């Protein structure tokens, strides 16, 4: 005889299993000769990161830099495998950096963060180090991330706008605790990528899944409110209309619609890519956990390529 298990217990068990899968399924790739590991002492702690530099001389004016922030429970090595940014960097010729969070998390501005370390200060110091160690094009430093890393990218847009020219959060929106005090010092270009069927970061805003008490919890704004916020901050005159993107994977039921805000201050742009049917995932990346726990990973675009195109097309000021 089968016993009916309460849905609340099933949800807590699924959340706990997902937390384990996120931390373990994304294993590090073998290091290439041009990959380098870095250490930076900040605020009395040893902070670590990995850098991938394309072969050959830098482009005129120096390399653009993309900072790729992992999600909660991950580290930079897993972000590297999930996004395959190294291959994109080799083709488009930019430096990609994979920082490691303390205790596998970032202080993204939620008041529920257990270890509220100064990660914004760390990123600023990391940019200093990168500009010292590599031929970096100042004004062409960008930030992207998934989940907790996406929320942290939102925070960098708020708190480090003078050094981060554009952000591309994936599967994560603006933390509700951060929004009232988000006052960017300069316009920030934004590409927001979110799935409508994300079971962890609610597309319509609200409580973030806390993985059975293992996660950070908190509340986030809806995708629409986040996009409207950035369009307002950038003084965009035209909020844009929805434009369905042509499907490229015929057997994938997800669909992507782009909404672009234009005529923004300082030539900044705000773009929303809504992944209809998409889950808590990096489009074009690996299905790092079962669909039951994170939803579906869209195959209708390669988010890493799209994000790189968005960043590298930004005007340099």
């Amino acid at each position: 005889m089968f016993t009916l298990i309460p849905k609340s217990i099933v949800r807590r068990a699924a959340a706990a299993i997902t937390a384990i899968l996120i931390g373990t399924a994304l294993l590090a790739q073998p290091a290439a000769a041009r990959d380098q590991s870095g250490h930076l002492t900040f605020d009395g702690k040893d902070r670590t990161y990995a850098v991938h530099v394309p072969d050959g001389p830098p482009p005129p004016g120096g390399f653009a830099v993309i900072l790729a922030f992992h999600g909660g429970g991950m580290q930079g090595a897993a972000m590297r495998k999930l996004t395959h940014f190294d291959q994109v960097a080799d083709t488009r010729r930019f430096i990609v950096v994979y920082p490691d969070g303390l205790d596998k998390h970032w202080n993204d501005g939620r008041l529920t963060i257990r270890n509220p370390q100064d990660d914004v200060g760390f990123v600023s110091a990391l940019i200093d180090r990168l500009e010292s160690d590599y031929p970096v094009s100042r004004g062409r430093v960008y930030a992207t991330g998934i989940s907790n890393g996406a929320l942290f990218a939102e925070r960098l847009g708020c708190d480090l706008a003078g050094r981060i020219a554009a952000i591309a959060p994936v599967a994560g929106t603006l933390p509700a605790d951060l929004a009232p005090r988000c006052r960017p010092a300069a316009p920030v270009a934004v590409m927001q990528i979110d799935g409508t069927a994300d079971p962890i970061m609610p597309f319509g805003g609200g409580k973030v899944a806390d993985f059975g008490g293992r996660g950070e919890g908190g509340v986030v704004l809806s995708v629409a409110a986040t996009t409207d916020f950035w369009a307002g901050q950038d003084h965009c005159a035209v909020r844009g209309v929805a434009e369905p993107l042509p499907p490229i994977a015929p057997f994938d039921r997800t669909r992507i619609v782009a909404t672009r805000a234009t005529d923004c201050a300082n030539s900044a742009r705000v773009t929303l890519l809504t992944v209809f049917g998409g889950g808590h995932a990096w489009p074009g990346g690996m299905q790092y956990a079962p669909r039951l726990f994170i939803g579906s990973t869209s195959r209708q675009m390669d988010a890493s390529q799209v994000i790189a195109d968005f960043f590298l097309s930004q005007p340099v000021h």
Side-chain angles (χ1 to χ4, degrees), residues 265-284:
N266 212 30
S267 301
R269 287 179 290 157
V270 178
T271 298
L272 167 62
L273 296 179
T274 301
V275 186
F276 284 91
H280 194 73
W282 189 275

Side-chain angles (χ1 to χ4, degrees), residues 145-214:
I146 185 172
S147 193
N148 173 218
L151 272 61
F152 185 52
E154 303 270 7
R155 181 172 189 181
L156 292 175
C158 296
D159 295 350
L160 213 57
R163 310 202 69 182
I164 301 290
I167 62 173
V170 178
T173 54
L174 194 65
D177 296 324
L178 178 63
R181 56 185 177 84
C182 180
R183 297 291 182 271
V188 179
V190 178
M191 172 171 278
Q192 192 76 39
I193 303 176
D194 295 280
T196 61
D198 189 330
I200 296 172
M201 293 281 176
F203 187 86
K207 293 183 179 180
V208 178
D210 67 357
F211 299 105
R214 296 167 62 95

Side-chain angles (χ1 to χ4, degrees), residues 1 17 43 66 70 87 93 100 103-104 161 200 224 256 258 260 263 268 272 307:
M1 179 179 294
I17 293 171
D43 211 15
I66 294 181
H70 61 75
Q87 292 88 335
R93 298 197 50 72
D100 297 316
D103 194 28
K104 299 183 179 181
I200 296 172
I256 298 174
R260 298 180 176 88
D263 294 339
L272 167 62
I307 289 169

Side-chain angles (χ1 to χ4, degrees), residues 213-230:
R214 296 167 62 95
E216 306 295 326
V219 177
V220 293
L221 299 187
S222 69
V223 172
T226 298
T227 307
D228 284 346
F229 174 88
W230 286 113

